[in-house]
């Protein structure tokens, strides 16, 4: 585009009191003194070539979130592999296998290790390559950059340099940290959405320096030159100090002129800016942390098992060596036929200690089968296949955006099943930033028949409870009440829904109100029509929104600073008061009044606007209507508004208060509306003082404005109240409810203000009416002497008081919520305070941290992770969540949203928060149990197999001789037992996915580590030990001196070894079949196919020339198969090996069943279909006791309703008694 767009004519800054209308005192006071360390950055504007050489050569705008690059991949990936204990052992064994003392060939040791390590490294490379592709999608975004001579062109983000002048248009992201030079508005205002940085959806107002306002067109940059000296790169999002030297003058810079990377331009046609920080120097990337290397708890515990087995291996190797030394010294000289000592000194009676040392090395390699080398590679294969199932799960596919779930790393699948605490972002994660106008109270009358989700659920639950009571027998006290009143408890608390359900209109965004008394002009007939008129005018006038008309439909939409404002304007439009235009000094509203069918456009002169702040908790606008009457219209928190009512303005206060309480109980966000008429003299006097304060320079300006605003906002007259339903993302309350029932704790960490966070907490049922809130704020004057110590002492006192309140609470249903702001959190996270803060937090049902920076999110996550020692999961959607996502044990990114930074840093990506329920409760439960059972089984089968080698070696005089042929041992882990265990890890299901969701308490098997605790691990090891003893000694007893062949010959070593190996194959494969709860044809094929493959191998191997070397020619056809004792021994040993496990699981299911055992039995006998009442009863029992979530809120509502009913029935009973007495 050759020139700039036509600049907007509204000076947007005139709409604001506190945020924008500054006369830049900093400019008048002179530039900042920024000499010294930390302020060394020099930026030559419009001269990027100056930054191509040191010392002004800064980092490029290229970003990377990968763990590896081309140079670091090999060393880092090898380090990752060999920090696994088992791999380190097999590396040592592979080195020793090169020596002559190895019992196996070098290739048989090196090849499996290379395969295992290579496969794992290939998986790491593939996953990191995916991260690289996502990084490049960001790096290759296009931006409009000044080239030369006033011409602009497209450039990828990664090519942008410090000093470049960039033009950003509406709804585009800023490619780097920029200094705002000018915008499409005359006064240099622009609106920025920082949701990716701090989680806030409210638009931030930025303003350029007046000196650069003239740079408003492409051509003006032809000769533009300036110099910026500013602070060095740092992670502080809310501070910036620097000076701009332009046209031989120096101007101070502050955060209001800085546009941060990954924030978005909104409500502004375009801006021009100069690049200050690029790439990893930008503030958002400074808040990021390096991609950590995460390992699951199961894998860490597996290392401990490897240590135990390695210690055991060294122990039995040492025993074997001692035995060998004894044999060498005392028995070997008498065995003349062995011709000792040998040439190499391995068997030398004259130096038994040296021979014993050689034997120790041999034994360490020989018994290596105790430590399964294929365990890691099998787990890698299983995890990749599990990740594939997660990616392909249609129940986690978002049809709206076409986004599937994505396991970006498969290393942490089982960790999904052990999560204890979820730390969630708010904006874009829990909410979709949309409010629905649902109910209102006007003139003491409640309007709105639509029901909130909480109301509907409470009635539904009570109906179910009533049904259960009718089946189980009605308690006498309830029966009397019903007989006396003739009403059911449900009828007493009927929730009114739309009468015209059949003709229900499609939902309108922001408006879900239903009540014919106010719609279509029917409000004219209401007794308080004048109050209703004022209510609608407050909705349509008291705001800072900008209307935008759709050229096709003619319908107005509104760009509002908050979703509440947007819903109010949509509601006003539907009621017949359509805000349609705004000028410098007026607001125009098309009012369907006095005739609903003939709208009239009315002009209201805007005299002043007192905007909303978190301190004021209210907003007011002063307007002059067409009759010349001056009105102050105000909306705000009910507690604030009620304090400002006049004595004659409280007519509707009592009834409105009751309505507000009712709205709050069902999870609605409320505001009170009031007005005040001003006479000309009163207003003129006040406005004169107000304008003086508004244009003043100095630190007292804001205090003066606040005092004057408070002065005029007194003696108000109450009009009514609004109730909006916070539009959470689809399924969020249900998801949180299910996660709470699964026993998970949920913390919300948000950059939003406390009021908004509390409202969201109510909306998603983390907070509820009646829950006791512990609000921690640092309200001590920070400018006072010794302020830090004073603030810390105050916070410690708040923590102590909160802990004491919880300790003294006697009500079992009482629930506490901890709410803390970012400033307080700064002190709460200090070393001497953080553990006390954590102890308070973990005793609360829910925790909400407000106004937190990205760094604080990461620090809170670290505190919870390290302080509790339990698994944490962080979930977010923006760049401000990257720190906590990387810090948590598991990081989940929300994809399909505007920013992809969270996804790029995450371990798992889902399209919406509601999919977290299935990711954890279904896939997490399955993956944990599968991996845990798989690892236990792996150690069992290797102990069962490996110890038979030790027994035989002792039986054969500690000679270092293996009873098995080398080929048997090579195929044991690779072919004959690997596929069944992989099928266990991929397909095993104790219960199906629907049952997992219906019985969320099953999830607690993971956090409690029921399937991978030391009791179960040692139980499986003991089972392996028992199996090895049975296989070896039972076979030795059977074959020791038993005639084996038709000629009366006894069995030789190869025959006995093959029979033992057959028993091992049958025993371990039958064991895995008994372990499985869920069979498909795949499991049957792999388990029994492994047994068949053993016989096929024997058949083929017996025909090869290789078998001649070990006397195994036709070992199956001619030696084993014709001998009945071979088949009998196989059957006997297999049954004996598996009988104890069968007895154990039978006893457990009969006398001490786990939750899933009960469910399996119910499903097996189809009682879930035949007896629905029993099924519902079991479901209600199978949830963790929780004080948060939708169910907890419904339970509280039911307790409240039942309390009311009991009072009513008891009073009814008293009336009957009195009547009888009279």
């Amino acid at each position: 585009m050759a020139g700039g767009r036509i600049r907007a004519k509204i000076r947007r800054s005139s709409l604001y009191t506190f945020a924008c209308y500054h006369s830049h005192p900093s400019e008048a006071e002179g530039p900042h003194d920024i000499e010294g360390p930390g302020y060394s950055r020099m930026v030559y504007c419009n001269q990027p070539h100056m930054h191509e050489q040191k010392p002004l050569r800064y980092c490029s705008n290229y970003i990377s979130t990968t763990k590896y690059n081309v140079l670091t991949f090999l060393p880092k990936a090898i380090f990752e592999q060999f920090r696994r204990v088992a791999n380190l052992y097999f590396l040592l064994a592979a080195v020793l296998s090169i020596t002559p003392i190895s019992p196996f060939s070098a290739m048989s040791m090196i090849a499996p290790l290379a395969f295992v390590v290579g496969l794992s490294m290939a998986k790491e490379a593939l996953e990191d390559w995916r991260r690289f592709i996502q990084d490049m999608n960001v790096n290759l975004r296009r931006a409009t950059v000044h080239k030369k001579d006033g011409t602009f062109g497209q450039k990828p983000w990664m090519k942008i340099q410090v000093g470049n002048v960039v033009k950003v248009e509406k709804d585009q992201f800023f490619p780097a940290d920029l200094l705002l030079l000018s915008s499409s508005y005359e006064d240099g205002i622009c609106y920025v959405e920082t949701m990716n940085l701090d989680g806030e959806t409210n638009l931030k107002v930025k303003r350029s320096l007046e000196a650069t306002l003239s740079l408003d067109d492409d051509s003006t940059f032809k000769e533009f030159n300036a110099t910026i000296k500013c602070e060095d790169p740092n992670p502080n999002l809310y501070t910036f100090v620097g000076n701009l030297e332009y046209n031989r003058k120096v101007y101070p810079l502050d955060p209001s002129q800085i546009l941060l990377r990954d924030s978005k331009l909104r409500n502004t046609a375009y801006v021009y800016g100069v690049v200050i920080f690029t790439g990893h120097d930008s503030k958002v990337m400074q808040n990021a942390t390096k991609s950590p290397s995460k390992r699951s708890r199961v894998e860490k515990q597996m290392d401990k098992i490897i240590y135990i087995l390695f210690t055991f291996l060294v122990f039995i190797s040492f025993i074997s060596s001692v035995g060998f030394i004894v044999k060498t010294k005392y028995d070997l000289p008498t065995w003349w036929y062995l011709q000792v000592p040998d040439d190499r000194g391995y068997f030398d009676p004259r130096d038994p200690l040296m021979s014993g040392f050689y034997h120790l090395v041999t034994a360490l390699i020989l018994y290596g089968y105790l430590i399964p080398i294929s365990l890691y590679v099998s787990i890698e294969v299983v995890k990749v296949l599990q990740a594939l199932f997660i990616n392909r799960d249609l129940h986690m596919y978002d049809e709206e955006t076409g986004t599937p779930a994505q396991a970006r790393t498969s290393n942490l699948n089982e960790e999904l099943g052990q999560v204890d605490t979820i730390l969630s972002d708010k904006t874009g994660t829990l909410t979709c930033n949309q409010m629905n106008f649902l109910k209102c109270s006007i003139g003491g009358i409640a309007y709105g028949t639509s029901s909130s989700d909480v109301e509907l659920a409470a009635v539904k639950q009570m109906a179910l409870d009533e049904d259960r009571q009718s089946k189980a027998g009605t308690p006498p006290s309830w029966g009397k009440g019903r007989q006396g009143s003739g009403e059911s408890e449900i009828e007493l608390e009927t929730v009114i829904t739309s009468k015209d359900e059949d003709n229900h209109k499609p939902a309108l965004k922001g408006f879900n109100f239903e009540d014919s008394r106010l719609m279509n002009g029917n409000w004219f007939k209401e007794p308080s029509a004048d109050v209703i008129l004022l209510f609608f005018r407050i909705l349509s006038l008291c705001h800072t929104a900008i209307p935008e008309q759709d050229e096709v439909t003619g319908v107005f939409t509104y760009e509002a600073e908050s979703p509440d404002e947007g819903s109010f304007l949509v509601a006003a439009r539907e009621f017949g008061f359509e805000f349609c235009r705004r000028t410098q000094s007026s607001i125009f509203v098309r009012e369907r009044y006095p005739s609903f069918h003939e709208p009239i456009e009315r002009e209201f002169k805007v005299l002043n606007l007192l905007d909303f702040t978190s301190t004021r908790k209210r907003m007011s606008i002063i307007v002059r209507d067409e009759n010349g009457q001056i009105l102050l219209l105000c909306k705000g928190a009910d507690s604030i508004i009620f304090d400002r009512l006049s004595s004659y303005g409280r007519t509707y206060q009592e009834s409105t208060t009751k309505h507000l309480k009712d709205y709050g109980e069902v999870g609605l966000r409320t505001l009170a509306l009031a007005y005040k008429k001003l006479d000309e003299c009163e207003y003129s006097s006040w406005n004169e003082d107000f304008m003086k304060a508004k244009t003043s320079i100095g630190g007292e300006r804001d205090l003066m404005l606040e005092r004057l605003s408070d002065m005029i906002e007194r003696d108000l007259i109450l009009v009514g109240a609004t109730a909006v339903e916070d539009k959470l993302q689809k399924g969020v309350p249900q998801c949180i409810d299910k996660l709470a029932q699964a026993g998970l704790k949920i913390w919300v960490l948000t950059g939003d203000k406390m009021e908004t966070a509390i409202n969201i907490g109510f909306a998603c049922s983390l907070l509820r009416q009646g829950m006791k809130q512990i609000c921690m704020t640092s309200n001590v004057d920070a400018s006072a002497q010794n302020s830090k110590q004073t603030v810390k002492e105050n916070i410690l006192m708040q923590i102590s008081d909160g802990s004491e309140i919880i300790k003294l609470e006697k009500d079992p249903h009482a629930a506490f919520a901890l709410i803390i702001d970012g400033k307080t959190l700064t002190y709460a996270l200090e070393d001497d305070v953080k553990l006390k803060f954590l102890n308070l937090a973990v005793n609360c049902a829910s925790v909400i941290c407000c106004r937190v920076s990205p760094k604080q999110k990461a620090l809170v996550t670290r505190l919870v992770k390290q302080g509790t020692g339990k698994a944490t999961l962080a979930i977010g959607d923006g760049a401000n969540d990257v720190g906590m996502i990387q810090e948590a044990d598991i990081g989940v990114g929300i994809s399909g949203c505007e920013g992809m930074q969270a996804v790029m840093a995450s371990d798992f990506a889902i399209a919406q928060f509601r999919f977290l329920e299935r990711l954890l409760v279904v896939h997490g439960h399955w993956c944990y149990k599968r991996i845990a059972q798989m690892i236990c089984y792996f150690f069992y089968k290797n102990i069962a197999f490996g110890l038979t080698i030790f027994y035989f070696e002792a039986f054969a005089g500690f000679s270092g001789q293996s009873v098995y042929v080398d080929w048997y041992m090579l195929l044991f882990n690779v072919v004959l037992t690997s596929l069944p265990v992989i099928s266990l890890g991929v397909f095993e299901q104790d219960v199906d996915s629907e049952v997992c969701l219906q019985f969320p308490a099953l999830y607690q098997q993971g956090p409690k580590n029921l399937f991978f605790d030391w009791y179960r691990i040692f139980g499986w090891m003991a089972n392996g030990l028992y199996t090895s003893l049975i296989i070896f000694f039972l076979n030795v007893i059977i074959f020791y001196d038993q005639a084996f062949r038709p000629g009366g010959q006894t069995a030789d070593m190869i025959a006995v070894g093959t029979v033992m190996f057959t028993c091992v194959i049958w025993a371990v494969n039958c064991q895995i079949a008994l372990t499985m709860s869920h069979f498909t044809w795949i499991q049957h094929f792999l388990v029994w196919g492994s047994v068949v493959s053993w016989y096929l191998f024997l058949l083929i191997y017996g025909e090869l020339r290789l078998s001649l070397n070990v006397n195994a020619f036709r070992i199956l056809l001619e030696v084993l198969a014709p001998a009945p004792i071979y088949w009998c021994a196989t059957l006997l040993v297999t049954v004996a090996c598996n009988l104890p496990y069968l007895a154990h699981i039978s006893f457990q299911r009969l006398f001490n069943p786990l939750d899933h055992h009960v469910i399996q039995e119910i499903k097996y006998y189809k009682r879930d279909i035949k007896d629905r009442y029993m099924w519902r009863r079991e479901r209600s029992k199978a949830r963790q006791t929780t004080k948060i979530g939708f169910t907890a809120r419904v339970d509280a509502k039911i307790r409240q309703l039942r309390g009311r009913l009991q009072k009513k029935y008891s009073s009814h009973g008293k009336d009957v008694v009195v009547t009888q007495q009279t």
Side-chain angles (χ1 to χ4, degrees), residues 296-409:
S296 70
R297 278 165 169 68
V298 169
E299 191 172 343
K300 290 174 183 174
Q301 186 142 324
M302 190 169 69
D303 280 351
K304 295 175 184 175
I305 302 171
I306 298 285
Y307 283 126
I308 292 170
L309 287 181
F310 185 73
T311 305
F312 182 63
L313 185 151
V314 172
F315 174 69
I316 63 174
S317 297
F318 180 75
I319 291 174
S320 179
S321 297
V322 170
F324 182 75
I325 290 170
V326 172
K327 289 285 185 184
T328 302
K329 185 173 183 179
Y330 297 107
D331 295 341
L332 211 56
T334 63
W335 298 340
W336 55 269
Y337 51 86
L338 294 180
Q339 298 181 358
V340 291
D342 64 329
D343 297 337
R344 292 175 292 185
Y346 297 152
F347 309 97
D348 189 353
R350 295 168 300 183
D351 191 1
L353 290 178
M354 182 56 70
S355 297
F357 173 76
Y358 289 140
H359 184 83
L360 177 64
V361 176
T362 301
L364 286 170
I365 300 173
L366 183 66
Y367 305 146
Y369 282 90
L370 283 171
I371 300 175
I373 188 170
S374 60
L375 172 61
Y376 283 116
V377 73
S378 298
I379 287 176
E380 296 288 357
V381 171
V382 163
K383 287 184 176 181
V384 167
L385 292 173
Q386 287 177 346
L388 190 65
F389 281 124
I390 291 172
N391 297 346
R392 300 287 178 89
D393 190 340
L394 291 176
H395 294 285
M396 294 196 292
Y397 176 78
D398 185 40
E399 293 183 357
E400 291 182 13
T401 60
T403 309
Q406 184 185 7
R408 300 186 73 250
T409 176

Side-chain angles (χ1 to χ4, degrees), residues 57-82:
R57 186 177 180 179
Y58 304 124
C59 77
S60 70
N61 207 36
Y62 176 88
I63 62 157
S64 173
T65 60
T66 58
K67 290 167 67 175
Y68 311 105
N69 59 40
V70 176
L71 295 177
T72 63
F73 174 71
L74 210 56
K76 285 182 73 174
I78 288 173
F79 170 76
E80 286 290 323
Q81 295 306 312
F82 287 106

Side-chain angles (χ1 to χ4, degrees), residues 447-459:
Y447 295 95
T449 60
S450 298
S451 303
S452 72
D453 290 342
V454 174
E455 289 176 292
L456 294 172
V459 170

